Amino acid sequence: MILLTHSVFVVAVTGTFAQHVWPVPYKRFDYRPKTDPYCQARYTFCPTGYPDGQIPAMKDEDTIEVFKLQAPVWEFKYGDLLGHFKIMHDAIGFRSILTGKNYTAEWYELFQLGNCTFPHLRPGIEAPFWCNQGAACFFEGIDDVHWKQNGTLAMVTTITGSLFNQMAKWMKEDNDTGIYYETWTVQSTPEVNTTIWFESYDCSKYVQRTFRKLADLGAVFTKTLQTNYTRIFLYSGEPLYVGNETVVFGPGENKTAATEIRNFYSPFRTPWSVREFLINLLSIYDEVVLRKEFYLFYNFEYWLLPMKYPYIKITYEEIPLP
């Protein structure tokens, strides 16, 4: 289990100084903006979900069973393939004892993972364009086969209908204010007690966040179930603040930084041939491993990561229930 060690950094921004604490806090918003028509999903987001993130109310006297759900990422397309590499998707299940109805809650990308992790570089427009929104999906039913066959469907606690309704209100607020997906966890080393620079914001964090909220509201979780989550790490020295889109690409832009950021993201675009794929792969290796540079887009701001060995790692580590 990774333990957070906080440290302080100071950056100069347009002549003033702003003080922050590592990890950089995930920025929340007053409301969820409409998505840009340029962003198109290959697979429809939340096709059977309740509109506008609504969650049906339960009767106060009801008993609700709560389940941890986990299955390989993109199982609908690749079966259990990614499960062999412990690349898993997480969700939460609910079952009303009073009505017998089941429900699923999950948080994931509106426009698939690639669009959340890397931007589009559009001809004639200098600034990279991001389709990186993520959101919660709440729908009736639990696909038992999907979760059980290659993953997990396990009850972790029971709550009252009243507590469920309190959680549902929090879920709506959380969804309206946390609007973008973040793939990477960035930290100094793979060791415990290391400094975490940036936290991810993905499906697993949604499950952990919801479980913590339930615990705060009074839910008591089983201690017999081991709960593991997939995490994707980048390892770097202390990140260097570059600026937001206006600073880097707007009037009076930082031309050097703007060029380097576009060049960095260029190899991550969808390749049109095997040859282009191999060239792009070599370019990525050159940037990340040889030049030891990675540009991170976080809170709608750009950061330069001075990369360190082992550079990138996918883990499947235990994070206990509250």
Side-chain angles (χ1 to χ4, degrees), residues 39-46 74 76 108-118 120 131-134 181 183:
C39 299
Q40 297 293 322
R42 178 173 295 182
Y43 306 104
T44 303
F45 175 80
C46 201
W74 298 323
F76 68 94
Y108 63 101
E109 325 90 82
L110 267 64
F111 307 105
Q112 282 73 67
L113 183 60
N115 282 321
C116 285
T117 308
F118 302 109
H120 294 265
C131 297
N132 60 337
Q133 276 203 47
Y181 188 101
T183 302

Side-chain angles (χ1 to χ4, degrees), residues 63-82:
T63 297
I64 311 296
E65 296 175 335
V66 183
F67 300 87
K68 184 183 187 300
L69 309 177
Q70 188 174 74
V73 169
W74 298 323
E75 186 182 33
F76 68 94
K77 187 173 183 179
Y78 300 116
D80 67 344
L81 175 63
L82 293 178

Side-chain angles (χ1 to χ4, degrees), residues 291-303:
R291 295 184 61 185
K292 302 185 186 305
E293 292 182 349
F294 191 104
Y295 280 97
L296 179 75
F297 189 64
Y298 195 90
N299 285 347
F300 295 89
E301 297 174 317
Y302 289 97
W303 299 77

Side-chain angles (χ1 to χ4, degrees), residues 23-29 32 88-90 106-110 112-113 115-117 131-137 170-186 196-210 212 229-233 296-300:
V24 174
Y26 177 90
K27 182 179 179 180
R28 290 191 172 268
F29 295 79
R32 177 175 290 276
M88 309 294 280
H89 172 65
D90 298 276
E106 54 188 336
W107 198 94
Y108 63 101
E109 325 90 82
L110 267 64
Q112 282 73 67
L113 183 60
N115 282 321
C116 285
T117 308
C131 297
N132 60 337
Q133 276 203 47
C137 174
W170 170 85
M171 275 185 166
K172 184 71 166 59
E173 294 170 353
D174 179 79
N175 190 46
D176 288 343
T177 60
I179 67 171
Y180 72 93
Y181 188 101
E182 177 53 53
T183 302
W184 312 104
T185 295
V186 186
I196 297 178
W197 311 118
F198 302 93
E199 286 277 16
S200 61
Y201 199 87
D202 55 15
C203 64
S204 69
K205 285 300 179 74
Y206 178 73
V207 171
Q208 295 168 53
R209 198 162 63 248
T210 303
R212 284 197 300 270
Y229 300 90
T230 300
R231 304 181 75 188
I232 305 179
F233 289 94
L296 179 75
F297 189 64
Y298 195 90
N299 285 347
F300 295 89

Side-chain angles (χ1 to χ4, degrees), residues 79-237:
D80 67 344
L81 175 63
L82 293 178
H84 294 295
F85 301 95
K86 300 300 183 183
I87 302 176
M88 309 294 280
H89 172 65
D90 298 276
I92 309 171
F94 302 96
R95 178 175 180 266
S96 164
I97 299 299
L98 202 60
T99 67
K101 289 185 176 181
N102 298 324
Y103 302 92
T104 299
E106 54 188 336
W107 198 94
Y108 63 101
E109 325 90 82
L110 267 64
F111 307 105
Q112 282 73 67
L113 183 60
N115 282 321
C116 285
T117 308
F118 302 109
H120 294 265
L121 301 180
R122 298 180 293 177
I125 301 176
E126 193 167 13
F129 185 80
W130 290 84
C131 297
N132 60 337
Q133 276 203 47
C137 174
F138 194 96
F139 57 94
E140 186 173 337
I142 296 176
D143 185 348
D144 288 28
V145 173
H146 169 68
W147 302 108
K148 282 182 178 180
Q149 192 170 34
N150 298 306
T152 302
L153 194 162
M155 190 169 73
V156 293
T157 188
T158 58
I159 59 177
T160 64
S162 175
L163 195 152
F164 176 92
N165 293 334
Q166 294 177 64
M167 178 212 65
K169 180 182 178 182
W170 170 85
M171 275 185 166
K172 184 71 166 59
E173 294 170 353
D174 179 79
N175 190 46
D176 288 343
T177 60
I179 67 171
Y180 72 93
Y181 188 101
E182 177 53 53
T183 302
W184 312 104
T185 295
V186 186
Q187 61 186 46
S188 179
T189 70
E191 307 302 322
V192 298
N193 297 321
T194 191
T195 300
I196 297 178
W197 311 118
F198 302 93
E199 286 277 16
S200 61
Y201 199 87
D202 55 15
C203 64
S204 69
K205 285 300 179 74
Y206 178 73
V207 171
Q208 295 168 53
R209 198 162 63 248
T210 303
F211 285 168
R212 284 197 300 270
K213 183 62 180 180
L214 287 174
D216 291 343
L217 292 171
V220 178
F221 286 82
T222 177
K223 297 301 180 183
T224 58
L225 179 68
Q226 180 174 326
T227 50
N228 289 57
Y229 300 90
T230 300
R231 304 181 75 188
I232 305 179
F233 289 94
L234 296 176
Y235 300 104
S236 83

